[in-house]
Amino acid sequence: MRKEYIDGQKREHGRKVVISLPIHYPKEILTALDILSVELWGPPGEVLGYQAGRIQTYVCPLVRKALAFIAGGYASSADALLFPHTCDSIQGLASLIPDFGGWDGPILRFIHPKGERRTSSEAYLAREIDDFIAQAEKLAGKKLEPKRFSDAVRLHVEIDALRRRIIEKRRNIDMRDAELYAILRRGEWLWPEDHLIELKELAAKIADKPLKKGVALMLSGIVPEPMDIFETLENAGAFVVADDYAAIGRRIPAPIDKLPDDPKQAVIERYFALPPCSTRASDLAGRVEYLAAAYKKSGAAGLILHNVKFCEPEMFDVAMIKKRFTAMGAPLLYMETELEKQLSGQLSTRLEAFVEMASKGGNK
Amino acid sequence: MITRKIQYQLAKNAVGPFLMALDRWQQAQKQRKRKPRETPFGPPLEAVQKLKEIMTQNYFEGRYADGAVPVVWVTSGFPAEVFFALGFHVVYPENHAALCSTRHKVTEIAEFAERDGLSRDVCSYARTDIGSVISGKTPVGRLPKPDMIACCTNICQTVLYWYRNLAEYLNVPLVLVDTPFMYGGTKEHHLAYVSDQLGEVIEFAEKISHRKMDSEKLARVVENARDGSRLWGECLAISQARPAPWTGIDTFFHIAPIVTIRGTEVCNAYYRLLKDELTQRVAAGIGGIKNEKHRLLWDNLPIWFKVREHSTMTAERGFNFVCATYSNAWAEAGDLIDPAHPLESAAKTYTYVYLNRDLNNRLKTTVDLAKSFGVDGAVLHSDRSCKPYSVGQVDVKERLQKDMGIRVLLLEADHADERSLSGEQAEMRLLAFMESFNE
């Protein structure tokens, strides 16, 4: 279905398609230039072909699977690849593929600044966005029109506002997590206006009062794969009440009181308003406090840190998060997955046991 | 404060030098009594004693530095010239972790960090240093508490995640120089970003140290850094001679001054001494190993805790590691440093770092080294703890084999953590690799 949709976007709308590696990139610019971003989170499941062997097994499985996917020819209908500067492994892949084979087409790069907002990083981001616009314009074969840029920013602000509301009002939506997350994650490849329609339909289902019952949990990690984690949690009597996945919650900027009229400046403000993320090297104490506050606000009964195996940025934050949550007396489970097709029996058992433990603290 | 300053000055100018002199005398006595041992190596470098003194003195001073002078902990690729010019005592946690590994202390120390929740899959240097901060355990007696820590991402992003943790554990501010990765050439706004950040770092360091940057002093330090880097490169290049007068394994240890006291006259004086000795050895036909039959290249960080065993094993069979991409990384920058434009040239120098550049450049550097040092084989250390250095090695291996016709071994290990090495398997692989040269 996804392939047919993407082909349709090219055929019917004349849009270019770019395969985007995770996580942070200015999607507004792509939208304004009629470029469809299709995100590549692995893909999960079986490794496609032998090319993953070009990267050692102790490196992030997302990157190894992406290499197999791209070098195996599965991305051949795309017009370009996009590599944001997320981590060392994605940076390595962004060099490996063009330098040693796997992709001959155009490559876009977005090297976003790391660390906290500083005068230098603000000035740099502005120039890096200019550079990214130039790369995207070349791919699109047209210039970025100011009005379309502004419209695209407005569109993404609306999308993000809806996503935030849906996550915050999770308890008031009578829907299974697996279904809800499937809709949220369709934003990874749908044309933004199509995604907006689905989000609006979903937001219309928000009731005035809480409908979800069970053990409320907060999930944090890179990407909710394998997706049957939600089914396992549901079967154990739990549901997700707060989200800090890099693929979902961490990509929704905090509301900005007065967004600048200049769309480029708006993109800069939105970037710096993103929730703390290990891959952007946000201040660690700030991230820990952000998670603690989100946890308390959501009334979750436990936190699951769900990491992709060998994801260094995320692994480095675990100790401080554990310390803080232990001090709060909050149940915490750390688990790693490798973008498998399904959760292992062992992990399912750990999740079930965790839900049982969290439930003893009661559903706050 | 005054007492601390007196202690520091005593350690630096009296006690330290006295202890070093005493050690030198004791070593000479031991040497006299020692019966010559049969080894596959050439006579030991005389400069080793001086190296040991410099590094011991550096760590010894460090014990008394906090409270006496401003202290900063920095990553190995940080433009530390700015701190030397401001009179900071500079500590290199990477060097400390490597030292812990050579002393086989990593497991004991890293476990403190692991108990706190740091996964064994993250860099073993990071685990060691964080474990050392938590436990206070260190083979160097004591590390001074920093007033600030400074991180530059030109060697990896890992250092940033690691230093974010250090900042929390130590409760000190972290300053960052974020160097955009270079795909092909660099872009003007990338260099401007690095230069701007250096300005911010200086401003912050001035506040912390209550000192103003003296531009003439900075120019002198930068000039020393340039000369030191060139001297280090010259020392390495001497190994193009046959036999090479020292081993690539030696270079892993002699790299310490250019990493940790780069920009100082002590560093440069040491490399002049070393260069003279190496030159004399070449003239006298003295090799790093006695019977150099095959010349090898080493890629990636050393396996610190196994360096001696592996080098002995290879030397016994006539194999000498005559060059290493790791040691070479600190020699590359020399010509980019311009004392007349310290910040602008530092931006370029510290962006054009080997690990901050694409794989094509890495392959080219490796091939250039292999050719200029005339190697007939290479060992690529696939380092579990250093993913950015290791990604791409599978392809590099193939290219070296195919394009240069040399034998290449991809050896999986870890730069510091003994638990991540299957010792016997690694030895078997090295042996089989060496045997293949007889086919």
Side-chain angles (χ1 to χ4, degrees), chain B residues 148-255:
Chain B
M148 61 186 286
I149 59 175
C151 170
C152 182
T153 57
N154 55 1
I155 50 167
C156 59
Q157 303 295 310
T158 304
V159 287
L160 181 50
Y161 316 135
W162 162 9
Y163 274 55
R164 284 162 75 236
N165 272 275
L166 280 180
E168 290 308 309
Y169 279 107
L170 292 159
N171 192 25
V172 292
L174 162 67
V175 293
L176 168 67
V177 173
D178 173 26
T179 48
F181 192 77
M182 281 177 63
Y183 299 96
T186 186
K187 293 177 177 173
E188 204 181 305
H189 70 284
H190 289 180
L191 293 180
Y193 176 39
V194 177
S195 181
D196 288 351
Q197 292 175 90
L198 277 171
E200 289 171 343
V201 167
I202 291 174
E203 206 176 303
F204 190 79
E206 284 179 333
K207 270 187 205 156
I208 289 279
S209 62
H210 306 291
R211 294 170 184 189
K212 284 300 281 182
M213 179 64 84
D214 174 344
S215 54
E216 280 180 22
K217 196 170 179 190
L218 177 63
R220 270 200 308 279
V221 174
V222 169
E223 192 174 354
N224 276 339
R226 179 198 62 192
D227 295 346
S229 180
R230 283 178 180 165
L231 280 163
W232 173 240
E234 286 161 13
C235 289
L236 295 179
I238 293 174
S239 276
Q240 289 173 9
R242 286 172 189 262
W246 59 337
T247 74
I249 305 295
D250 293 324
T251 69
F252 296 156
F253 295 99
H254 291 266
I255 202 174

Side-chain angles (χ1 to χ4, degrees), chain A residues 53-69:
Chain A
R54 289 167 59 192
I55 297 180
Q56 291 91 332
T57 50
Y58 54 79
V59 176
C60 167
L62 191 154
V63 166
R64 298 183 72 243
K65 287 183 175 186
L67 172 61
F69 182 84

Side-chain angles (χ1 to χ4, degrees), chain A residues 132-238:
Chain A
F132 186 73
I133 290 171
Q135 295 177 55
E137 283 179 338
K138 195 173 168 195
L139 176 70
K142 59 184 173 188
K143 297 298 274 183
L144 180 66
E145 294 170 21
K147 187 181 175 307
R148 286 213 62 191
F149 193 8
S150 294
D151 289 346
V153 170
R154 269 194 293 276
L155 173 65
H156 283 280
V157 168
E158 192 179 356
I159 287 171
D160 288 335
L162 275 173
R163 287 167 74 91
R164 186 185 316 107
R165 186 155 170 259
I166 288 163
I167 292 168
E168 281 176 1
K169 294 285 178 186
R170 174 69 193 102
R171 287 175 191 270
N172 299 17
I173 306 172
D174 187 19
M175 182 182 273
R176 299 175 60 213
D177 278 333
E179 257 180 277
L180 184 129
Y181 268 88
I183 294 171
L184 291 174
R185 293 201 63 199
R186 280 158 66 84
E188 292 165 15
W189 53 275
L190 282 178
W191 181 250
E193 283 159 332
D194 294 343
H195 183 46
L196 181 66
I197 293 168
E198 292 190 351
L199 291 175
K200 281 181 176 170
E201 285 171 8
L202 180 53
K205 292 181 179 153
I206 298 173
D208 296 334
K209 56 178 187 202
L211 302 171
K212 288 294 282 186
K213 287 195 173 68
V215 182
L217 297 175
M218 178 170 176
L219 266 62
S220 175
I222 293 294
V223 61
E225 292 287 358
M227 285 281 276
D228 65 348
I229 183 173
F230 300 115
E231 204 176 314
T232 305
L233 288 174
E234 188 177 32
N235 291 341

Side-chain angles (χ1 to χ4, degrees), chain B residues 84-149:
Chain B
F84 282 112
L86 279 167
F88 274 78
H89 180 85
V90 184
V91 175
Y92 286 80
E94 287 156 69
N95 179 269
H96 172 252
L99 187 73
C100 291
S101 183
T102 56
R103 306 266 179 95
H104 302 277
K105 296 282 182 197
V106 164
T107 306
E108 178 193 345
I109 297 174
E111 275 178 356
F112 285 92
E114 290 156 14
R115 268 180 239 146
D116 248 25
L118 207 58
S119 165
R120 267 180 64 178
D121 288 327
V122 308
C123 171
S124 48
Y125 275 181
R127 278 182 283 127
T128 305
D129 283 321
I130 293 170
S132 178
V133 168
I134 295 170
S135 66
K137 286 180 184 286
T138 166
V140 301
R142 178 179 179 272
L143 287 174
K145 186 178 187 300
D147 298 291
M148 61 186 286
I149 59 175

Side-chain angles (χ1 to χ4, degrees), chain A residues 53-60 83 85-101 109 111-116 118-124 127-129 131 135 277-287 309-313 315-320 322-323 334 336, chain B residues 113 116-119 121-123 126-127 130 134 153 155-162 164-165 168-169 175-183 187-190 192-193 196-197 200 300 355-361 363 381-388 390-396 399 410 412-413:
Chain A
R54 289 167 59 192
I55 297 180
Q56 291 91 332
T57 50
Y58 54 79
V59 176
C60 167
F83 292 96
H85 188 52
T86 303
C87 59
D88 286 322
S89 300
I90 288 182
Q91 173 186 287
L93 182 67
S95 175
L96 183 71
I97 284 180
D99 291 351
F100 294 155
R109 294 192 177 95
I111 307 180
H112 52 74
K114 303 284 179 176
E116 290 303 288
R118 296 162 288 158
T119 310
S120 58
S121 60
E122 206 177 310
Y124 166 71
R127 285 176 280 184
E128 184 65 10
I129 287 172
D131 189 82
Q135 295 177 55
C277 179
S278 58
T279 68
R280 291 189 301 113
S282 311
D283 172 64
L284 184 51
R287 179 167 185 228
K309 179 89 177 156
F310 300 121
C311 175
E312 265 210 342
M315 284 192 292
F316 266 102
D317 285 7
V318 171
M320 288 294 162
K322 271 188 178 172
K323 246 183 217 261
Y334 179 74
E336 290 179 342
Chain B
D116 248 25
L118 207 58
S119 165
D121 288 327
V122 308
C123 171
R127 278 182 283 127
I130 293 170
I134 295 170
T153 57
I155 50 167
C156 59
Q157 303 295 310
T158 304
V159 287
L160 181 50
Y161 316 135
W162 162 9
R164 284 162 75 236
N165 272 275
E168 290 308 309
Y169 279 107
V175 293
L176 168 67
V177 173
D178 173 26
T179 48
F181 192 77
M182 281 177 63
Y183 299 96
K187 293 177 177 173
E188 204 181 305
H189 70 284
H190 289 180
Y193 176 39
D196 288 351
Q197 292 175 90
E200 289 171 343
N300 214 322
L355 282 179
N356 198 47
R357 304 184 67 178
D358 57 58
L359 287 165
N360 261 339
N361 180 71
L363 177 66
H381 168 204
S382 172
D383 184 351
R384 290 183 71 88
S385 268
C386 192
K387 294 165 178 74
S390 304
V391 166
Q393 281 180 322
V394 175
D395 283 278
V396 168
R399 295 286 284 269
L410 193 62
E412 187 169 319

Side-chain angles (χ1 to χ4, degrees), chain B residues 361-376:
Chain B
N361 180 71
R362 295 230 319 249
L363 177 66
K364 183 184 175 302
T365 304
T366 311
V367 168
D368 288 349
L369 280 176
K371 282 182 180 166
S372 56
F373 286 81
V375 305
D376 38 8

